[in-house]
Amino acid sequence: MPIEDALIPNPITINAEYTVEQALTLINKHQIRSVPIVENSGKFIGMFGLHSLLDDLLPMAAKMEEGVKDLDFVVGGAPSAAKKIRKLAHKSVLEVIKKTEEHHYLKDDMSILESIRRLYKYGSPLPVVTKELKFLGLISEQSCLNHLNEVLKEVEAEEKLNTNL
Amino acid sequence: MHDLIFGIPAQYIALAIMGLVYAVIIAEKMNQAVIALIAASMAIMFGLLDQEQAIHAIDFNTLFLLIGMMVIVGIMKETGIFQYVAIVAAKFVRANPRGLLIILSLITAVFSAFLDNVTTVMLIVPIVILLTEQLKLKPYPFLLSQIIFSNIGGTATLIGDPPNILVGSAVGLSFTDFLFNMGPIIVMMLVIMIGVFDVFWGRHLSTSNRARAHLLRYEPKKSLKNKPLLIKSFIVLGLVMAGFTIGHNFLHIETGTTALAGAALLMFLDGIGHKLPEKNKKAHAAFHEVEWDVIFFFMGLFIVVASLEHTGILSLIAHQITVVTEGDFTKTGMVILWASSLFSGFINNIPFVVTIIPIIENMGDTFGHGEALNPLWWSLVLGACLGGNATLIGASANVMVASYAERANAPIAFVKYMIHALPLTILTIIIANVYLYLKYFI
């Protein structure tokens, strides 16, 4: 598996029974931005993240396609956004997550460069799954760079060996 | 052109091709521009008209007017001016839902008179949804009024609605002709419609003071994004309006030329002070604002209708209509009004208008040419534009508002819309009927 070595070791996961509040507590505690939702059978369901929550704080008119493109004129919107968070707290994480598009997954047989391209394009971390959507782990910008550092060490060791010969 | 093609009379082939266009549009199985182009190609390949005649059939004045206005509005919307006007208006009525329904409807009517209806609703409806969301109001009455008022407002001027552009360009009616003949009746209709909307919806609307206070804190100035561009846009828009009126009436400059010149001027002004790559990028973005599928839909239709005209079938239909109306001018006008409104209520009014223009021109043999036919043109314009209100698919603006309603999780049901809109449409057609009769037919 080409990207196996770039995975985050032992990532935190949650199951579908978590509420938004519980998931947020977990996210705060571990200082992470998103957490994968995985069934007990190991099937990947989606990513719960702060980004998807932000979406729920916006008025419908700003989220829809060809909608209001700028909300700078809305002064004093913080209390109503705060109230929306209160409303969301007791909802299940499943109600809040957005559908994970196919290009947001990484497949286990994907090349490292394609993983880097997707991380660059769609943000970090991204889930890695099998064809049957079995969850294998997460890959992040940091885990990817760590892996490349390891590769660099190997390359340098090899170069050193070659010059010594 | 041969009278027989593969042993079949050319008229039948021309009719079959036009029938195919209508069938595909009604069945909604293919993009309208694609079927129009396929039909136009068939008309040429079957020899109903040759390449030169086909190109000659395209009314480039209409296309230039559409393209020019699309570019100008596309650049202008980046300035945030439309959002600004809507928010200022909402604050002007102190965020009172009843006043808001009236003022947003009026804004849409006025914008629709000077911009394409679809463009207008695309600019105004998102902000309408935002305001109703903030005031915790059901968006339906607001969206319904957006549709009705955009179609009514669009009838008032030469550039308000495609049927007007088509008629104006084909017949040579000017911007001021439209304004003086259609303006008064449209203003009257707007006043009546405001009354109707207030009685049935406006006076029942209420919201909390807290929600209103929140909306009153909005700072509309912040939505104005590019003031230099706004000033340039207003200058160009002023010049274009002058071109439509003074330029057309005294210098005989066609409206299509004026609109394209305006678009070119605005693109030039927008590029000043930028390096070439940035200028190119801006011009590219401005041309991207043109809805090319609409332009090619028109092109295809012009060719298909010309092929019908070449076979002589349209003059035959014109003759038949005058036979049915016993050569009575008033009766013919009323038939055109009601038939075009009925037709426009259910399918796109553009192919209908493109087809009926040569038919009415052919009636000149019975009723006299030139200005003598004007009452029939006004009947067509009023019927085709106002009829579009009848159903949710009657005009492109309706479809656009319905699509926004869906995106906002407040879909408009087809039947519910018709129950409300059909009586309103009939009311406007009756008002139009009385006006036409009193002003032109007695």
PDB file of all heavy atoms in Angstrom, chain B residues 331-367:
ATOM      1  N   LYS B 331     -61.076  42.494 -33.293  1.00  0.00           N
ATOM      2  CA  LYS B 331     -61.143  41.066 -32.968  1.00  0.00           C
ATOM      3  C   LYS B 331     -59.767  40.423 -33.114  1.00  0.00           C
ATOM      4  O   LYS B 331     -59.348  39.627 -32.270  1.00  0.00           O
ATOM      5  CB  LYS B 331     -62.115  40.376 -33.930  1.00  0.00           C
ATOM      6  CG  LYS B 331     -63.412  39.918 -33.269  1.00  0.00           C
ATOM      7  CD  LYS B 331     -64.174  39.049 -34.249  1.00  0.00           C
ATOM      8  CE  LYS B 331     -65.676  39.247 -34.081  1.00  0.00           C
ATOM      9  NZ  LYS B 331     -66.440  38.626 -35.157  1.00  0.00           N
ATOM     10  N   THR B 332     -59.058  40.786 -34.197  1.00  0.00           N
ATOM     11  CA  THR B 332     -57.730  40.218 -34.429  1.00  0.00           C
ATOM     12  C   THR B 332     -56.796  40.585 -33.268  1.00  0.00           C
ATOM     13  O   THR B 332     -56.059  39.737 -32.755  1.00  0.00           O
ATOM     14  CB  THR B 332     -57.146  40.748 -35.757  1.00  0.00           C
ATOM     15  OG1 THR B 332     -58.125  40.567 -36.774  1.00  0.00           O
ATOM     16  CG2 THR B 332     -55.874  40.011 -36.138  1.00  0.00           C
ATOM     17  N   GLY B 333     -56.854  41.846 -32.840  1.00  0.00           N
ATOM     18  CA  GLY B 333     -56.009  42.293 -31.722  1.00  0.00           C
ATOM     19  C   GLY B 333     -56.290  41.495 -30.461  1.00  0.00           C
ATOM     20  O   GLY B 333     -55.368  41.044 -29.767  1.00  0.00           O
ATOM     21  N   MET B 334     -57.580  41.288 -30.175  1.00  0.00           N
ATOM     22  CA  MET B 334     -57.955  40.564 -28.947  1.00  0.00           C
ATOM     23  C   MET B 334     -57.521  39.093 -29.026  1.00  0.00           C
ATOM     24  O   MET B 334     -57.077  38.504 -28.048  1.00  0.00           O
ATOM     25  CB  MET B 334     -59.468  40.656 -28.708  1.00  0.00           C
ATOM     26  CG  MET B 334     -59.979  42.085 -28.503  1.00  0.00           C
ATOM     27  SD  MET B 334     -59.090  42.970 -27.197  1.00  0.00           S
ATOM     28  CE  MET B 334     -58.512  44.413 -28.057  1.00  0.00           C
ATOM     29  N   VAL B 335     -57.678  38.520 -30.232  1.00  0.00           N
ATOM     30  CA  VAL B 335     -57.245  37.125 -30.415  1.00  0.00           C
ATOM     31  C   VAL B 335     -55.735  37.023 -30.169  1.00  0.00           C
ATOM     32  O   VAL B 335     -55.268  36.114 -29.474  1.00  0.00           O
ATOM     33  CB  VAL B 335     -57.608  36.609 -31.833  1.00  0.00           C
ATOM     34  CG1 VAL B 335     -56.844  35.320 -32.150  1.00  0.00           C
ATOM     35  CG2 VAL B 335     -59.108  36.362 -31.938  1.00  0.00           C
ATOM     36  N   ILE B 336     -54.989  37.978 -30.698  1.00  0.00           N
ATOM     37  CA  ILE B 336     -53.533  37.949 -30.496  1.00  0.00           C
ATOM     38  C   ILE B 336     -53.200  38.080 -29.007  1.00  0.00           C
ATOM     39  O   ILE B 336     -52.383  37.338 -28.467  1.00  0.00           O
ATOM     40  CB  ILE B 336     -52.840  39.068 -31.315  1.00  0.00           C
ATOM     41  CG1 ILE B 336     -52.943  38.743 -32.807  1.00  0.00           C
ATOM     42  CG2 ILE B 336     -51.382  39.245 -30.896  1.00  0.00           C
ATOM     43  CD1 ILE B 336     -52.431  39.830 -33.724  1.00  0.00           C
ATOM     44  N   LEU B 337     -53.874  39.002 -28.319  1.00  0.00           N
ATOM     45  CA  LEU B 337     -53.620  39.211 -26.885  1.00  0.00           C
ATOM     46  C   LEU B 337     -53.861  37.923 -26.092  1.00  0.00           C
ATOM     47  O   LEU B 337     -52.990  37.459 -25.346  1.00  0.00           O
ATOM     48  CB  LEU B 337     -54.507  40.335 -26.346  1.00  0.00           C
ATOM     49  CG  LEU B 337     -54.479  40.530 -24.823  1.00  0.00           C
ATOM     50  CD1 LEU B 337     -53.163  41.163 -24.381  1.00  0.00           C
ATOM     51  CD2 LEU B 337     -55.644  41.391 -24.345  1.00  0.00           C
ATOM     52  N   TRP B 338     -55.059  37.368 -26.251  1.00  0.00           N
ATOM     53  CA  TRP B 338     -55.419  36.208 -25.415  1.00  0.00           C
ATOM     54  C   TRP B 338     -54.675  34.957 -25.846  1.00  0.00           C
ATOM     55  O   TRP B 338     -54.259  34.155 -25.009  1.00  0.00           O
ATOM     56  CB  TRP B 338     -56.937  35.986 -25.431  1.00  0.00           C
ATOM     57  CG  TRP B 338     -57.624  37.036 -24.593  1.00  0.00           C
ATOM     58  CD1 TRP B 338     -58.131  38.222 -25.020  1.00  0.00           C
ATOM     59  CD2 TRP B 338     -57.810  37.018 -23.167  1.00  0.00           C
ATOM     60  NE1 TRP B 338     -58.638  38.945 -23.950  1.00  0.00           N
ATOM     61  CE2 TRP B 338     -58.463  38.221 -22.810  1.00  0.00           C
ATOM     62  CE3 TRP B 338     -57.500  36.110 -22.150  1.00  0.00           C
ATOM     63  CZ2 TRP B 338     -58.804  38.537 -21.498  1.00  0.00           C
ATOM     64  CZ3 TRP B 338     -57.853  36.414 -20.833  1.00  0.00           C
ATOM     65  CH2 TRP B 338     -58.490  37.626 -20.521  1.00  0.00           C
ATOM     66  N   ALA B 339     -54.509  34.775 -27.161  1.00  0.00           N
ATOM     67  CA  ALA B 339     -53.797  33.576 -27.621  1.00  0.00           C
ATOM     68  C   ALA B 339     -52.340  33.621 -27.178  1.00  0.00           C
ATOM     69  O   ALA B 339     -51.788  32.614 -26.713  1.00  0.00           O
ATOM     70  CB  ALA B 339     -53.876  33.465 -29.143  1.00  0.00           C
ATOM     71  N   SER B 340     -51.718  34.799 -27.285  1.00  0.00           N
ATOM     72  CA  SER B 340     -50.303  34.849 -26.900  1.00  0.00           C
ATOM     73  C   SER B 340     -50.146  34.702 -25.392  1.00  0.00           C
ATOM     74  O   SER B 340     -49.158  34.118 -24.928  1.00  0.00           O
ATOM     75  CB  SER B 340     -49.626  36.127 -27.404  1.00  0.00           C
ATOM     76  OG  SER B 340     -50.343  37.247 -27.008  1.00  0.00           O
ATOM     77  N   SER B 341     -51.123  35.191 -24.612  1.00  0.00           N
ATOM     78  CA  SER B 341     -50.984  35.009 -23.166  1.00  0.00           C
ATOM     79  C   SER B 341     -51.197  33.551 -22.793  1.00  0.00           C
ATOM     80  O   SER B 341     -50.487  33.005 -21.939  1.00  0.00           O
ATOM     81  CB  SER B 341     -51.939  35.921 -22.401  1.00  0.00           C
ATOM     82  OG  SER B 341     -53.252  35.675 -22.788  1.00  0.00           O
ATOM     83  N   LEU B 342     -52.146  32.898 -23.442  1.00  0.00           N
ATOM     84  CA  LEU B 342     -52.403  31.486 -23.166  1.00  0.00           C
ATOM     85  C   LEU B 342     -51.163  30.659 -23.508  1.00  0.00           C
ATOM     86  O   LEU B 342     -50.711  29.810 -22.733  1.00  0.00           O
ATOM     87  CB  LEU B 342     -53.594  31.007 -24.005  1.00  0.00           C
ATOM     88  CG  LEU B 342     -54.005  29.560 -23.794  1.00  0.00           C
ATOM     89  CD1 LEU B 342     -54.718  29.405 -22.458  1.00  0.00           C
ATOM     90  CD2 LEU B 342     -54.912  29.060 -24.917  1.00  0.00           C
ATOM     91  N   PHE B 343     -50.602  30.952 -24.670  1.00  0.00           N
ATOM     92  CA  PHE B 343     -49.442  30.216 -25.138  1.00  0.00           C
ATOM     93  C   PHE B 343     -48.240  30.423 -24.218  1.00  0.00           C
ATOM     94  O   PHE B 343     -47.566  29.479 -23.818  1.00  0.00           O
ATOM     95  CB  PHE B 343     -49.115  30.708 -26.548  1.00  0.00           C
ATOM     96  CG  PHE B 343     -48.536  29.647 -27.400  1.00  0.00           C
ATOM     97  CD1 PHE B 343     -49.366  28.793 -28.121  1.00  0.00           C
ATOM     98  CD2 PHE B 343     -47.173  29.480 -27.484  1.00  0.00           C
ATOM     99  CE1 PHE B 343     -48.826  27.796 -28.896  1.00  0.00           C
ATOM    100  CE2 PHE B 343     -46.630  28.489 -28.265  1.00  0.00           C
ATOM    101  CZ  PHE B 343     -47.459  27.651 -28.978  1.00  0.00           C
ATOM    102  N   SER B 344     -48.004  31.699 -23.870  1.00  0.00           N
ATOM    103  CA  SER B 344     -46.828  32.022 -23.056  1.00  0.00           C
ATOM    104  C   SER B 344     -46.938  31.460 -21.654  1.00  0.00           C
ATOM    105  O   SER B 344     -45.925  31.301 -20.967  1.00  0.00           O
ATOM    106  CB  SER B 344     -46.653  33.530 -22.955  1.00  0.00           C
ATOM    107  OG  SER B 344     -46.621  34.073 -24.230  1.00  0.00           O
ATOM    108  N   GLY B 345     -48.157  31.195 -21.220  1.00  0.00           N
ATOM    109  CA  GLY B 345     -48.339  30.670 -19.870  1.00  0.00           C
ATOM    110  C   GLY B 345     -47.764  29.276 -19.727  1.00  0.00           C
ATOM    111  O   GLY B 345     -47.392  28.860 -18.633  1.00  0.00           O
ATOM    112  N   PHE B 346     -47.692  28.550 -20.819  1.00  0.00           N
ATOM    113  CA  PHE B 346     -47.304  27.153 -20.695  1.00  0.00           C
ATOM    114  C   PHE B 346     -45.960  26.817 -21.304  1.00  0.00           C
ATOM    115  O   PHE B 346     -45.287  25.913 -20.855  1.00  0.00           O
ATOM    116  CB  PHE B 346     -48.400  26.249 -21.262  1.00  0.00           C
ATOM    117  CG  PHE B 346     -49.632  26.319 -20.430  1.00  0.00           C
ATOM    118  CD1 PHE B 346     -50.658  27.197 -20.731  1.00  0.00           C
ATOM    119  CD2 PHE B 346     -49.728  25.546 -19.276  1.00  0.00           C
ATOM    120  CE1 PHE B 346     -51.778  27.295 -19.915  1.00  0.00           C
ATOM    121  CE2 PHE B 346     -50.849  25.639 -18.462  1.00  0.00           C
ATOM    122  CZ  PHE B 346     -51.881  26.518 -18.782  1.00  0.00           C
ATOM    123  N   ILE B 347     -45.574  27.509 -22.371  1.00  0.00           N
ATOM    124  CA  ILE B 347     -44.222  27.246 -22.864  1.00  0.00           C
ATOM    125  C   ILE B 347     -43.495  28.560 -23.107  1.00  0.00           C
ATOM    126  O   ILE B 347     -44.103  29.626 -23.168  1.00  0.00           O
ATOM    127  CB  ILE B 347     -44.178  26.354 -24.125  1.00  0.00           C
ATOM    128  CG1 ILE B 347     -44.618  27.121 -25.355  1.00  0.00           C
ATOM    129  CG2 ILE B 347     -44.999  25.085 -23.960  1.00  0.00           C
ATOM    130  CD1 ILE B 347     -44.154  26.431 -26.609  1.00  0.00           C
ATOM    131  N   ASN B 348     -42.211  28.428 -23.216  1.00  0.00           N
ATOM    132  CA  ASN B 348     -41.332  29.567 -23.472  1.00  0.00           C
ATOM    133  C   ASN B 348     -41.933  30.468 -24.565  1.00  0.00           C
ATOM    134  O   ASN B 348     -42.273  30.000 -25.649  1.00  0.00           O
ATOM    135  CB  ASN B 348     -39.996  28.980 -23.934  1.00  0.00           C
ATOM    136  CG  ASN B 348     -38.933  30.037 -24.030  1.00  0.00           C
ATOM    137  OD1 ASN B 348     -39.212  31.177 -24.370  1.00  0.00           O
ATOM    138  ND2 ASN B 348     -37.712  29.657 -23.717  1.00  0.00           N
ATOM    139  N   ASN B 349     -42.092  31.743 -24.259  1.00  0.00           N
ATOM    140  CA  ASN B 349     -42.771  32.624 -25.213  1.00  0.00           C
ATOM    141  C   ASN B 349     -41.882  33.052 -26.394  1.00  0.00           C
ATOM    142  O   ASN B 349     -42.372  33.600 -27.365  1.00  0.00           O
ATOM    143  CB  ASN B 349     -43.354  33.852 -24.504  1.00  0.00           C
ATOM    144  CG  ASN B 349     -42.314  34.650 -23.741  1.00  0.00           C
ATOM    145  OD1 ASN B 349     -41.121  34.501 -23.981  1.00  0.00           O
ATOM    146  ND2 ASN B 349     -42.760  35.480 -22.828  1.00  0.00           N
ATOM    147  N   ILE B 350     -40.588  32.789 -26.313  1.00  0.00           N
ATOM    148  CA  ILE B 350     -39.694  33.275 -27.370  1.00  0.00           C
ATOM    149  C   ILE B 350     -39.983  32.631 -28.739  1.00  0.00           C
ATOM    150  O   ILE B 350     -40.180  33.350 -29.713  1.00  0.00           O
ATOM    151  CB  ILE B 350     -38.210  33.138 -26.939  1.00  0.00           C
ATOM    152  CG1 ILE B 350     -37.959  34.122 -25.789  1.00  0.00           C
ATOM    153  CG2 ILE B 350     -37.272  33.442 -28.089  1.00  0.00           C
ATOM    154  CD1 ILE B 350     -36.730  33.843 -24.996  1.00  0.00           C
ATOM    155  N   PRO B 351     -40.059  31.271 -28.821  1.00  0.00           N
ATOM    156  CA  PRO B 351     -40.367  30.703 -30.150  1.00  0.00           C
ATOM    157  C   PRO B 351     -41.718  31.181 -30.674  1.00  0.00           C
ATOM    158  O   PRO B 351     -41.867  31.424 -31.880  1.00  0.00           O
ATOM    159  CB  PRO B 351     -40.389  29.191 -29.914  1.00  0.00           C
ATOM    160  CG  PRO B 351     -40.116  28.954 -28.492  1.00  0.00           C
ATOM    161  CD  PRO B 351     -39.788  30.226 -27.821  1.00  0.00           C
ATOM    162  N   PHE B 352     -42.675  31.339 -29.773  1.00  0.00           N
ATOM    163  CA  PHE B 352     -43.993  31.805 -30.194  1.00  0.00           C
ATOM    164  C   PHE B 352     -43.901  33.206 -30.801  1.00  0.00           C
ATOM    165  O   PHE B 352     -44.446  33.470 -31.884  1.00  0.00           O
ATOM    166  CB  PHE B 352     -44.947  31.793 -28.990  1.00  0.00           C
ATOM    167  CG  PHE B 352     -46.301  32.361 -29.301  1.00  0.00           C
ATOM    168  CD1 PHE B 352     -47.234  31.614 -30.000  1.00  0.00           C
ATOM    169  CD2 PHE B 352     -46.635  33.649 -28.915  1.00  0.00           C
ATOM    170  CE1 PHE B 352     -48.478  32.137 -30.298  1.00  0.00           C
ATOM    171  CE2 PHE B 352     -47.877  34.182 -29.210  1.00  0.00           C
ATOM    172  CZ  PHE B 352     -48.797  33.425 -29.903  1.00  0.00           C
ATOM    173  N   VAL B 353     -43.191  34.081 -30.109  1.00  0.00           N
ATOM    174  CA  VAL B 353     -43.087  35.465 -30.591  1.00  0.00           C
ATOM    175  C   VAL B 353     -42.324  35.523 -31.911  1.00  0.00           C
ATOM    176  O   VAL B 353     -42.726  36.221 -32.849  1.00  0.00           O
ATOM    177  CB  VAL B 353     -42.441  36.369 -29.512  1.00  0.00           C
ATOM    178  CG1 VAL B 353     -42.183  37.764 -30.052  1.00  0.00           C
ATOM    179  CG2 VAL B 353     -43.337  36.445 -28.289  1.00  0.00           C
ATOM    180  N   VAL B 354     -41.224  34.755 -31.991  1.00  0.00           N
ATOM    181  CA  VAL B 354     -40.445  34.748 -33.232  1.00  0.00           C
ATOM    182  C   VAL B 354     -41.328  34.280 -34.395  1.00  0.00           C
ATOM    183  O   VAL B 354     -41.243  34.798 -35.508  1.00  0.00           O
ATOM    184  CB  VAL B 354     -39.188  33.851 -33.096  1.00  0.00           C
ATOM    185  CG1 VAL B 354     -38.398  33.821 -34.395  1.00  0.00           C
ATOM    186  CG2 VAL B 354     -38.291  34.342 -31.983  1.00  0.00           C
ATOM    187  N   THR B 355     -42.195  33.292 -34.124  1.00  0.00           N
ATOM    188  CA  THR B 355     -43.055  32.767 -35.192  1.00  0.00           C
ATOM    189  C   THR B 355     -44.153  33.741 -35.568  1.00  0.00           C
ATOM    190  O   THR B 355     -44.509  33.885 -36.742  1.00  0.00           O
ATOM    191  CB  THR B 355     -43.708  31.436 -34.740  1.00  0.00           C
ATOM    192  OG1 THR B 355     -42.743  30.652 -34.066  1.00  0.00           O
ATOM    193  CG2 THR B 355     -44.266  30.663 -35.918  1.00  0.00           C
ATOM    194  N   ILE B 356     -44.715  34.394 -34.567  1.00  0.00           N
ATOM    195  CA  ILE B 356     -45.901  35.212 -34.842  1.00  0.00           C
ATOM    196  C   ILE B 356     -45.551  36.572 -35.465  1.00  0.00           C
ATOM    197  O   ILE B 356     -46.399  37.186 -36.120  1.00  0.00           O
ATOM    198  CB  ILE B 356     -46.775  35.364 -33.569  1.00  0.00           C
ATOM    199  CG1 ILE B 356     -48.218  35.631 -33.982  1.00  0.00           C
ATOM    200  CG2 ILE B 356     -46.284  36.439 -32.665  1.00  0.00           C
ATOM    201  CD1 ILE B 356     -49.236  35.086 -33.067  1.00  0.00           C
ATOM    202  N   ILE B 357     -44.298  37.017 -35.276  1.00  0.00           N
ATOM    203  CA  ILE B 357     -43.919  38.314 -35.854  1.00  0.00           C
ATOM    204  C   ILE B 357     -44.157  38.340 -37.375  1.00  0.00           C
ATOM    205  O   ILE B 357     -44.877  39.222 -37.875  1.00  0.00           O
ATOM    206  CB  ILE B 357     -42.469  38.704 -35.470  1.00  0.00           C
ATOM    207  CG1 ILE B 357     -42.451  39.163 -34.013  1.00  0.00           C
ATOM    208  CG2 ILE B 357     -41.923  39.809 -36.371  1.00  0.00           C
ATOM    209  CD1 ILE B 357     -41.070  39.390 -33.438  1.00  0.00           C
ATOM    210  N   PRO B 358     -43.618  37.352 -38.136  1.00  0.00           N
ATOM    211  CA  PRO B 358     -43.899  37.399 -39.588  1.00  0.00           C
ATOM    212  C   PRO B 358     -45.383  37.204 -39.905  1.00  0.00           C
ATOM    213  O   PRO B 358     -45.860  37.724 -40.926  1.00  0.00           O
ATOM    214  CB  PRO B 358     -43.053  36.260 -40.157  1.00  0.00           C
ATOM    215  CG  PRO B 358     -42.594  35.448 -39.014  1.00  0.00           C
ATOM    216  CD  PRO B 358     -42.639  36.300 -37.805  1.00  0.00           C
ATOM    217  N   ILE B 359     -46.102  36.473 -39.042  1.00  0.00           N
ATOM    218  CA  ILE B 359     -47.540  36.289 -39.287  1.00  0.00           C
ATOM    219  C   ILE B 359     -48.253  37.636 -39.212  1.00  0.00           C
ATOM    220  O   ILE B 359     -49.054  37.988 -40.081  1.00  0.00           O
ATOM    221  CB  ILE B 359     -48.144  35.279 -38.268  1.00  0.00           C
ATOM    222  CG1 ILE B 359     -47.535  33.886 -38.509  1.00  0.00           C
ATOM    223  CG2 ILE B 359     -49.663  35.230 -38.361  1.00  0.00           C
ATOM    224  CD1 ILE B 359     -48.068  32.791 -37.607  1.00  0.00           C
ATOM    225  N   ILE B 360     -47.920  38.415 -38.159  1.00  0.00           N
ATOM    226  CA  ILE B 360     -48.570  39.727 -38.025  1.00  0.00           C
ATOM    227  C   ILE B 360     -48.141  40.653 -39.176  1.00  0.00           C
ATOM    228  O   ILE B 360     -48.957  41.400 -39.732  1.00  0.00           O
ATOM    229  CB  ILE B 360     -48.265  40.354 -36.640  1.00  0.00           C
ATOM    230  CG1 ILE B 360     -48.914  39.502 -35.548  1.00  0.00           C
ATOM    231  CG2 ILE B 360     -48.779  41.794 -36.558  1.00  0.00           C
ATOM    232  CD1 ILE B 360     -48.701  40.002 -34.142  1.00  0.00           C
ATOM    233  N   GLU B 361     -46.839  40.552 -39.525  1.00  0.00           N
ATOM    234  CA  GLU B 361     -46.377  41.378 -40.660  1.00  0.00           C
ATOM    235  C   GLU B 361     -47.199  41.076 -41.916  1.00  0.00           C
ATOM    236  O   GLU B 361     -47.551  41.970 -42.693  1.00  0.00           O
ATOM    237  CB  GLU B 361     -44.886  41.129 -40.923  1.00  0.00           C
ATOM    238  CG  GLU B 361     -44.000  42.008 -40.047  1.00  0.00           C
ATOM    239  CD  GLU B 361     -42.537  41.614 -40.109  1.00  0.00           C
ATOM    240  OE1 GLU B 361     -42.234  40.504 -40.592  1.00  0.00           O
ATOM    241  OE2 GLU B 361     -41.704  42.420 -39.634  1.00  0.00           O
ATOM    242  N   ASN B 362     -47.512  39.796 -42.105  1.00  0.00           N
ATOM    243  CA  ASN B 362     -48.308  39.389 -43.263  1.00  0.00           C
ATOM    244  C   ASN B 362     -49.736  39.935 -43.232  1.00  0.00           C
ATOM    245  O   ASN B 362     -50.397  40.015 -44.254  1.00  0.00           O
ATOM    246  CB  ASN B 362     -48.345  37.868 -43.381  1.00  0.00           C
ATOM    247  CG  ASN B 362     -47.126  37.341 -44.115  1.00  0.00           C
ATOM    248  OD1 ASN B 362     -46.839  37.785 -45.228  1.00  0.00           O
ATOM    249  ND2 ASN B 362     -46.385  36.430 -43.496  1.00  0.00           N
ATOM    250  N   MET B 363     -50.198  40.248 -42.008  1.00  0.00           N
ATOM    251  CA  MET B 363     -51.556  40.789 -41.894  1.00  0.00           C
ATOM    252  C   MET B 363     -51.630  42.211 -42.447  1.00  0.00           C
ATOM    253  O   MET B 363     -52.718  42.769 -42.592  1.00  0.00           O
ATOM    254  CB  MET B 363     -52.013  40.775 -40.434  1.00  0.00           C
ATOM    255  CG  MET B 363     -52.295  39.388 -39.913  1.00  0.00           C
ATOM    256  SD  MET B 363     -52.777  39.470 -38.195  1.00  0.00           S
ATOM    257  CE  MET B 363     -52.929  37.722 -37.841  1.00  0.00           C
ATOM    258  N   GLY B 364     -50.446  42.787 -42.703  1.00  0.00           N
ATOM    259  CA  GLY B 364     -50.400  44.126 -43.283  1.00  0.00           C
ATOM    260  C   GLY B 364     -51.205  44.224 -44.566  1.00  0.00           C
ATOM    261  O   GLY B 364     -51.765  45.286 -44.884  1.00  0.00           O
ATOM    262  N   ASP B 365     -51.286  43.105 -45.298  1.00  0.00           N
ATOM    263  CA  ASP B 365     -52.055  43.127 -46.549  1.00  0.00           C
ATOM    264  C   ASP B 365     -53.528  43.439 -46.287  1.00  0.00           C
ATOM    265  O   ASP B 365     -54.206  44.040 -47.108  1.00  0.00           O
ATOM    266  CB  ASP B 365     -51.941  41.759 -47.256  1.00  0.00           C
ATOM    267  CG  ASP B 365     -50.493  41.460 -47.615  1.00  0.00           C
ATOM    268  OD1 ASP B 365     -49.707  42.428 -47.714  1.00  0.00           O
ATOM    269  OD2 ASP B 365     -50.148  40.272 -47.765  1.00  0.00           O
ATOM    270  N   THR B 366     -54.009  43.002 -45.134  1.00  0.00           N
ATOM    271  CA  THR B 366     -55.415  43.237 -44.799  1.00  0.00           C
ATOM    272  C   THR B 366     -55.618  44.567 -44.075  1.00  0.00           C
ATOM    273  O   THR B 366     -56.546  45.321 -44.373  1.00  0.00           O
ATOM    274  CB  THR B 366     -55.943  42.099 -43.883  1.00  0.00           C
ATOM    275  OG1 THR B 366     -55.510  40.853 -44.430  1.00  0.00           O
ATOM    276  CG2 THR B 366     -57.460  42.119 -43.782  1.00  0.00           C
ATOM    277  N   PHE B 367     -54.717  44.842 -43.092  1.00  0.00           N
ATOM    278  CA  PHE B 367     -54.964  45.990 -42.213  1.00  0.00           C
ATOM    279  C   PHE B 367     -54.102  47.213 -42.529  1.00  0.00           C
ATOM    280  O   PHE B 367     -54.215  48.238 -41.870  1.00  0.00           O
ATOM    281  CB  PHE B 367     -54.724  45.582 -40.752  1.00  0.00           C
ATOM    282  CG  PHE B 367     -55.579  44.422 -40.313  1.00  0.00           C
ATOM    283  CD1 PHE B 367     -54.997  43.259 -39.813  1.00  0.00           C
ATOM    284  CD2 PHE B 367     -56.962  44.492 -40.396  1.00  0.00           C
ATOM    285  CE1 PHE B 367     -55.777  42.201 -39.396  1.00  0.00           C
ATOM    286  CE2 PHE B 367     -57.747  43.427 -39.979  1.00  0.00           C
ATOM    287  CZ  PHE B 367     -57.165  42.275 -39.485  1.00  0.00           C
TER     288      PHE B 367
END
